[in-house]
Amino acid sequence: MTPARFTQCLLALRWTPINLASALHCNLAWIEAMETGDEKVPTELATWLETLATTHETLGIPVAYRGKGLEPASSRAARR
């Protein structure tokens, strides 16, 4: 996995390097080193990230929920 694709995967997942380090319980510096290409992304990690990112890229974000929950509670109560 190239550093560019590594970064694209994180963007597709809406994760920062900090989020990934937290999920993996690893050192942030190691994540940053993979991001810059100073460390190679392990094959198993690359496969996992590719699978997650491809799924997110393929499915996209549901748009049916845009704006939901933004109505003040008083407006919802008045409609009942």
Side-chain angles (χ1 to χ4, degrees), residues 8-32:
Q8 287 173 343
C9 286
L10 293 185
L11 289 172
L13 296 168
R14 298 173 181 254
W15 286 355
T16 65
I18 293 170
N19 297 137
L20 181 58
S22 178
L24 297 176
H25 299 274
C26 68
N27 192 301
L28 176 59
W30 181 60
I31 301 297
E32 291 171 337

Side-chain angles (χ1 to χ4, degrees), residues 13-54:
L13 296 168
R14 298 173 181 254
W15 286 355
T16 65
I18 293 170
N19 297 137
L20 181 58
S22 178
L24 297 176
H25 299 274
C26 68
N27 192 301
L28 176 59
W30 181 60
I31 301 297
E32 291 171 337
M34 288 187 287
E35 193 175 33
T36 62
D38 291 337
E39 286 282 336
K40 184 177 187 274
V41 179
T43 303
E44 185 178 301
L45 178 56
T47 300
W48 181 69
L49 286 173
E50 280 289 356
T51 301
L52 292 174
T54 300

Side-chain angles (χ1 to χ4, degrees), residues 65-80:
Y65 306 104
R66 290 186 180 163
K68 296 285 184 188
L70 299 178
E71 187 178 359
S74 59
S75 296
R76 287 192 306 270
R79 286 186 292 153
R80 291 182 191 174

